[in-house]
Amino acid sequence: MSWTVYTSWQALDNEPPPETRRTASTWEAARRMALYDACLAGVRYVTVQGPDDVIHGEWDRYTNRWREYRRCDAVLGAVAGAAPNPSN
């Protein structure tokens, strides 16, 4: 199971904006990478995609806000085949 952090950078001249992709083994690690990237100069937006191919978090420079869309611990349980933790 891996989480993917996509970071899109501002384009130089008339070229399409470059995008980087990194993976992390946990939601916490992916979230930390995304928030770190959000602080770098030249970043347009950052998204975190879960092992279920759904976007779980994102940041963009226009709103300058981090958004999380779903309880990631529940999704991890569903992806792994276990029941989600109802106490979270």
Side-chain angles (χ1 to χ4, degrees):
M1 246 183 342
S2 68
W3 294 80
T4 307
V5 177
Y6 295 95
T7 303
S8 179
W9 303 86
Q10 291 179 1
L12 299 175
D13 299 324
N14 290 326
E15 306 221 357
E19 186 173 273
T20 56
R21 186 180 89 166
R22 297 180 299 167
T23 58
S25 59
T26 65
W27 160 248
E28 292 80 14
R31 184 177 189 269
R32 201 168 30 252
M33 280 195 279
L35 291 172
Y36 175 82
D37 284 359
C39 295
L40 299 175
V43 172
R44 292 176 55 226
Y45 64 85
V46 181
T47 58
V48 176
Q49 182 175 322
D52 55 354
D53 294 332
V54 173
I55 300 297
H56 291 270
E58 71 174 351
W59 172 91
D60 70 82
R61 71 178 177 149
Y62 304 106
T63 62
N64 195 27
R65 294 193 181 207
W66 174 254
R67 293 178 185 83
E68 292 180 13
Y69 295 110
R70 177 187 297 207
R71 303 255 337 186
C72 297
D73 54 348
V75 171
L76 279 177
V79 170
N85 185 350
S87 65
N88 290 334

